[in-house]
Amino acid sequence: MTSENTPMPQLQLGPNGPMIGVQGLGCMGMSEFYGATDVAQSRATLERALDLGVTMFDTADMYGVGANEEFLAPFVTANRDKVIIATKFGYTRTPDNPDDWSIDNRPEFIRAAVDRSLKRLGVEVIDLYYMHRRIETVPLEESIGAMADLVKAGKVKWLGLSAVSAAELRLANAIHPIAALQSEWSIFTRDIEREIVPAAAELGVTIVPYSPLGRGLLTGQGFSASLSGDDARQNFPRFSAENLEANMKLVAGIEDIASSKGVTPAQLALAWLYAQSDRLKAKTVPIPGTRKPERLVENVAAATIHLTDKEMDRLEPLAAAVQGVAV
């Protein structure tokens, strides 16, 4: 197993951005969606991440309807010169209407959203600002144009997109350079490899895989018994009664490979992602989410684990066998 004292490798964010650690931290679960959280433990996880070379911390204005940005604010401001803070706009959820999952990409919405995020985070500039989801009724020229204006105004340093097509990425990048593309990518979810990963690689855009551990599925067989009643995954197809049993059989196979290598299933899943991105010549910074320092240490160690061609070949067919669509 890789030592936690091994320095984390770095890569350049986008074609012109800063050098950052090759693994970021997804902070969403510290405020919402995955059951109860422990504030003290989450804060300890943030500090441990920074110690281990994690530099990019990922949030969004809709996580906890603003609460996640507010939670991160003391940590970000105390470590401003060390932290790349990434947040997102797009969803119209508010504390008064948390069940509103509408999407708004209008320039006026973007201008208001960034000011709200700046205030909640307690910073003067957001390092990486993503369009969380795209709605086709607003032309990319308008929404990316508004985002580019934020760069000119000094409110944002670099721009990102999430869950867009290869064609949308190319068009957006022609309007203003895009530093990062955030999409789901893991052993179990590989749709982006067909067109999106090659487009990002060509443009020099850094891919930021979210849910690289399959929303927990890839952490091991014991995971399925741990979901609380308020865990959003209870409603996801891959976690339904009819699909979960079949998917956990696939996870058992991953555990066998991990055990023979002396690593955990989560480490194997992350190491696969690094190896696959190398094969596809793409710059990749996965953002596994965790609220526990010990899990953070485990995940970070995967950045320096090497998989053999034989191990990659054994993992190759798994995505096609997964039951239930990704959400």
Side-chain angles (χ1 to χ4, degrees):
M1 184 174 294
T2 301
S3 169
E4 66 180 80
N5 295 319
T6 303
M8 181 184 288
Q10 292 192 327
L11 57 72
Q12 186 177 30
L13 176 65
N16 301 300
M19 297 299 292
I20 61 173
V22 298
Q23 189 173 128
L25 178 61
C27 301
M28 178 181 76
M30 295 179 178
S31 297
E32 194 180 16
F33 298 115
Y34 292 160
T37 187
D38 183 309
V39 171
Q41 192 174 58
S42 293
R43 293 201 183 285
T45 301
L46 295 173
E47 297 291 346
R48 192 75 180 101
L50 201 60
D51 291 342
L52 293 175
V54 173
T55 49
M56 187 162 70
F57 295 79
D58 185 88
T59 183
D61 59 4
M62 61 84 85
Y63 298 163
V65 286
N68 196 242
E69 290 179 329
E70 291 174 344
F71 169 75
L72 289 172
F75 169 75
V76 174
T77 55
N79 300 282
R80 194 65 192 98
D81 60 336
K82 303 174 184 177
V83 166
I84 299 295
I85 186 65
T87 192
K88 314 174 193 73
F89 73 87
Y91 285 100
T92 60
R93 296 182 79 207
T94 65
D96 294 332
N97 197 2
D99 296 324
D100 180 5
W101 295 92
S102 303
I103 299 169
D104 196 336
N105 294 166
R106 293 173 303 147
E108 56 267 37
F109 179 84
I110 296 170
R111 289 191 290 267
V114 74
D115 287 342
R116 290 192 293 265
S117 287
L118 287 166
K119 182 177 180 180
R120 284 191 292 259
L121 288 165
V123 297
E124 295 183 353
V125 60
I126 291 166
D127 298 308
L128 177 59
Y129 200 44
Y130 288 101
M131 179 190 295
H132 204 160
R133 289 294 184 273
R134 182 176 179 226
I135 187 166
E136 294 183 358
T137 53
V138 179
L140 271 176
E141 290 83 355
E142 293 184 15
S143 51
I144 301 300
M147 295 171 72
D149 288 342
L150 300 180
V151 177
K152 294 176 185 175
K155 294 183 177 183
V156 171
K157 290 184 180 179
W158 300 284
L159 302 184
L161 298 173
S162 181
V164 297
S165 69
E168 290 170 327
L169 175 60
R170 291 182 190 279
L171 176 56
N173 192 72
I175 299 167
H176 187 281
I178 301 298
L181 170 67
Q182 188 171 136
S183 288
E184 184 167 358
W185 191 12
S186 72
I187 293 177
F188 277 2
T189 305
R190 298 178 55 183
D191 298 350
I192 73 168
E193 292 180 19
R194 289 194 293 270
E195 296 181 356
I196 297 169
V197 173
E202 176 189 330
L203 298 170
V205 174
T206 300
I207 300 173
V208 180
Y210 70 80
S211 299
L213 299 179
R215 292 186 169 83
L217 274 175
L218 295 167
T219 61
Q221 293 184 84
F223 159 79
S224 61
S226 64
L227 296 184
S228 61
D230 59 348
D231 194 306
R233 288 169 289 192
Q234 301 273 14
N235 302 313
F236 295 170
R238 290 184 177 176
F239 296 83
S240 67
E242 62 268 28
N243 292 329
L244 187 58
E245 183 177 356
N247 291 335
M248 295 316 292
K249 289 179 180 178
L250 299 178
V251 172
I254 293 173
E255 287 184 310
D256 288 342
I257 300 172
S259 177
S260 66
K261 195 172 182 66
V263 301
T264 69
Q267 288 174 327
L268 187 77
L270 290 168
W272 174 88
L273 194 48
Y274 289 118
Q276 186 68 357
S277 64
D278 284 345
R279 285 183 168 186
L280 298 176
K281 296 180 171 53
K283 297 192 295 185
T284 302
V285 180
I287 49 169
T290 185
R291 300 170 291 197
K292 299 178 179 179
E294 61 270 24
R295 292 290 178 232
L296 185 281
V297 171
E298 176 185 339
N299 292 342
V300 165
T304 50
I305 293 173
H306 174 73
L307 299 187
T308 65
D309 289 342
K310 184 177 181 180
E311 289 163 341
M312 291 293 287
D313 289 344
R314 290 180 65 186
L315 295 166
E316 177 64 26
L318 295 182
V322 175
Q323 301 297 303
V325 298
V327 175

